[in-house]
Amino acid sequence: MLGVVAAALGGPDVLQVTELPEPEAKPGQVVVRVRAVGVHPADVAATTGHIPGGPVTPPFSPGWDITGEVASVGPGTTDFAVGDRVVGMIPWYLTRGAPGGYAEFVAAGADWLVRLPDELDFVSAATVPLNAQTAHQGLSLVSSAMPPTGSSILVTGASGGVGGFATQLALRGGYRVMAQASHGDEQWVHGLGAHEVISRSVDLAGVGPVGAVFDAVPVGEAAAAAVADGGVVVVTRPTPAIATARGVRQELQLIRLDRELLADVVGQVAAGQLRTRVAATMPLTEAANAHRRVLAGGLRGKLVLTVG
């Protein structure tokens, strides 16, 4: 089968298309014939070695979010049958590229996957697992410190995958949402329902004060300037500690796989209750170019690699 591996640590050029052994499903696993795999900044960070837990020794395969059909079922696995449409998140923080999703077939734990509703296509579904779960789990950190009723929250990076889901979920949770949009992308963020949309160029020190910031970019210390005394900033990757003189607390949200939550958010997207968007699709063999496009920035939606 074809797969993409990082042969060394570095930029997009380290990604190589190669022949890999086709996996076999062990007990508790299924083999997924991959139809689409999301491309995340986390994939780019993995190839450069800038990830929590330190660099992964090459070669390894990037890729968290996969969709496809069950091609085979391991001994004793009863959750799925051959032919089932599935969507899932490889817990890359545990597998560290063995496996990763950039491949034609992936041996996946059955508990990494949920059924893909017929109403949701493979490509759109590949934008959901990592982004929506990160948003939901990060908002849980906010709500534990600040009840939603009457409270305000600023979401940075609301044009992006995590920020877009965080905006929608915060609204549904009862927060008054101020969302920061990339230049030219304000209409999309308005369409998510944000009470107020501000430009990426706005100085956050002049915004608010809000009770919390969901810092999906993240912008770090600048986000804290918008928070009221005693508020909270949730960041989605490790950043320098913010000043705490005003009692502003920083919380780090690193993704963890939650199968029940995954099924819930996939169902909400399939039902049209949550919105996602795809910037472009590219074939799996163009993974290096996909990483270049992520690094260049300016994407409106997620890049998705298609397989087969």
Side-chain angles (χ1 to χ4, degrees):
M1 70 167 188
L2 285 181
V4 176
V5 299
L9 293 179
D13 290 341
V14 305
L15 292 177
Q16 297 182 359
V17 180
T18 186
E19 283 285 341
L20 298 172
E22 193 166 314
E24 295 184 4
K26 298 177 181 178
Q29 292 185 327
V30 301
V31 170
V32 178
R33 182 189 302 274
V34 178
R35 297 302 187 187
V37 53
V39 180
H40 294 294
D43 299 330
V44 177
T47 64
T48 60
H50 297 103
I51 56 173
V56 178
T57 301
F60 59 83
S61 177
W64 293 67
D65 294 350
I66 59 172
T67 64
E69 300 123 346
V70 174
S72 63
V73 177
T77 304
T78 59
D79 297 46
F80 301 103
V82 171
D84 284 348
R85 285 165 35 97
V86 292
V87 53
M89 190 189 87
I90 297 171
W92 210 93
Y93 54 90
L94 298 176
T95 73
R96 292 172 75 80
Y102 287 19
E104 291 184 306
F105 293 89
V106 170
D111 58 349
W112 301 352
L113 307 168
V114 299
R115 282 180 172 78
L116 177 60
D118 291 339
E119 297 82 2
L120 189 56
D121 63 272
F122 289 126
V123 169
S124 297
T127 70
V128 175
L130 177 62
N131 291 326
Q133 288 186 99
T134 299
H136 191 285
Q137 291 167 0
L139 286 171
S140 295
L141 295 175
V142 173
S143 62
S144 66
M146 185 184 74
T149 303
S151 298
S152 58
I153 183 171
L154 167 65
V155 179
T156 71
S159 302
V162 173
F165 279 118
T167 297
Q168 295 172 83
L169 291 169
L171 287 162
R172 296 184 66 178
Y175 289 100
R176 186 185 188 284
V177 179
M178 180 184 299
Q180 189 177 43
S182 297
H183 179 68
D185 221 2
E186 293 86 356
Q187 185 175 353
W188 165 258
V189 178
H190 272 296
L192 299 179
H195 294 95
E196 183 178 351
V197 177
I198 60 174
S199 168
R200 180 76 177 267
S201 61
V202 168
D203 182 359
L204 296 182
V207 171
V210 295
V213 173
F214 189 108
D215 191 10
V217 175
V219 298
E221 189 71 41
V227 181
D229 293 357
V232 60
V233 177
V234 173
V235 295
T236 55
R237 64 173 181 261
T239 58
I242 62 174
T244 57
R246 298 185 295 109
V248 175
R249 192 172 78 256
Q250 184 181 58
E251 296 281 1
L252 173 62
Q253 168 57 45
L254 295 179
I255 185 67
R256 63 187 185 280
L257 176 61
D258 182 331
R259 192 185 190 191
E260 183 177 347
L261 173 59
L262 176 59
D264 181 45
V265 292
V266 166
Q268 290 185 58
V269 174
Q273 297 166 347
L274 289 174
R275 298 175 65 188
T276 187
R277 60 177 177 169
V278 175
T281 61
M282 304 176 71
L284 178 67
T285 52
E286 291 293 313
N289 283 332
H291 279 217
R292 291 185 186 99
R293 290 188 66 177
V294 171
L295 286 168
L299 290 169
R300 296 189 179 180
K302 302 299 293 186
L303 281 180
V304 177
L305 299 175
T306 56
V307 187

